[in-house]
């Protein structure tokens, strides 16, 4: 053969590549590890135990007990969800009830927090009650189904979700994950809780009747973009 050189075409493609990217901040605890170390819970630890995959109150006498845990979030996330299962093996009353409070830990001109209360009134009208507070003032509420926590046992797996300034409360009163919408509200000020505190008040006969499970706090930032797109092409240096 001659020394003729075969020059292959070189195709230049100008492409723009896109993908769907999800950045998530998640705090979860199903208590299957049998302790309060991962994540780290602090407070009245001596009054709580983890057995059979649940966090349980085991207090020596009537009184109050509390635990707290950090729940870091992505403040730029469009949606943040807070989920937790709370069970009381009795019908709640003004002397026997539980709360879960979501707290924004940043240094701000006022303390901002969200209190979710499980029962705590007389009679059988106990319900989920969510109160938004700023600087000690109540600035918004969400209410669950009246009477939903008025029986024995009183159980609620709640989901509190906010997208922008819109907050939505959903719950499954069987303890499952079939969440039903309870209430929705728009707040006039931003709040992004990044820690959680559980609290319970109990009489002497209820010192071992509270339990919690399946903490889940998620904040996701999603970028939805199109697949690769061919913008242009050029055939250069063709064979001669």
């Amino acid at each position: 053969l001659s020394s003729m050189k075969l020059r292959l075409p070189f195709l230049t493609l100008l492409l723009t590549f896109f993908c769907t990217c999800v950045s998530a901040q998640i705090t979860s605890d199903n208590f299957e590890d049998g302790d309060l170390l991962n994540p780290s819970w602090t407070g009245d630890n001596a009054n709580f135990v983890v057995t059979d995959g649940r966090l349980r109150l085991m207090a020596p006498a009537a009184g109050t007990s509390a635990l707290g845990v950090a729940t870091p979030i992505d403040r730029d996330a469009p949606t943040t969800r807070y989920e937790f299962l709370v069970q009381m093996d009795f019908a709640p009353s003004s002397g026997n009830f539980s709360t879960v409070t979501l707290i924004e830990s940043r240094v701000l001109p006022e303390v901002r927090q969200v209190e979710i209360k499980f029962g705590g009134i007389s009679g059988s009208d106990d319900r989920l009650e969510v109160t938004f507070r700023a600087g000690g003032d109540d600035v918004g509420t969400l209410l669950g189904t009246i009477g939903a926590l008025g029986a024995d046992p009183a159980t609620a797996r709640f989901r509190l979700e906010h997208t922008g300034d819109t907050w939505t409360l959903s719950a499954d009163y069987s303890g499952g994950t079939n969440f039903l919408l309870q209430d929705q509200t728009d707040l006039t000020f931003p709040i992004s809780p990044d820690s959680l505190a559980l609290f319970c008040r109990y009489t002497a006969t209820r010192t071992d009747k509270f339990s919690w499970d399946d903490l889940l706090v998620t904040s996701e930032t999603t970028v939805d973009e199109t697949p690769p797109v061919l913008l242009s092409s050029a055939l250069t240096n063709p064979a001669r």
Side-chain angles (χ1 to χ4, degrees), residues 83-147:
E83 297 180 16
F84 210 10
L85 171 65
V86 179
Q87 181 167 317
M88 297 171 285
D89 294 330
F90 54 85
S93 65
S94 58
N96 292 281
F97 63 90
S98 178
T99 65
V100 172
T101 303
L102 310 176
I103 305 164
E104 186 161 1
S105 64
R106 291 187 299 172
V107 177
L108 297 167
E110 68 284 318
V111 176
R112 300 179 183 180
Q113 61 186 34
V114 185
E115 181 189 82
I116 305 118
K117 188 175 182 181
F118 302 80
I121 62 175
S122 299
S124 59
D125 291 341
D126 293 88
R127 68 200 305 183
L128 273 175
E129 299 178 341
V130 180
T131 304
F132 300 87
R133 295 192 174 99
D137 297 326
D138 294 353
V139 296
T141 58
L142 292 169
L143 297 176
T145 302
I146 191 168

Side-chain angles (χ1 to χ4, degrees), residues 41 67-71 82-84 100-103 116 158 194-198 215 217:
W41 295 79
L67 283 178
V69 65
T71 57
Y82 305 84
E83 297 180 16
F84 210 10
V100 172
T101 303
L102 310 176
I103 305 164
I116 305 118
F158 75 86
D194 55 4
S195 62
L196 177 149
L198 64 85
L215 171 68
V217 178

Side-chain angles (χ1 to χ4, degrees), residues 48-60:
F48 294 88
V49 296
V50 177
T51 59
D52 300 324
R54 278 201 180 187
L55 171 64
R56 303 176 189 274
L57 178 70
M58 194 66 66

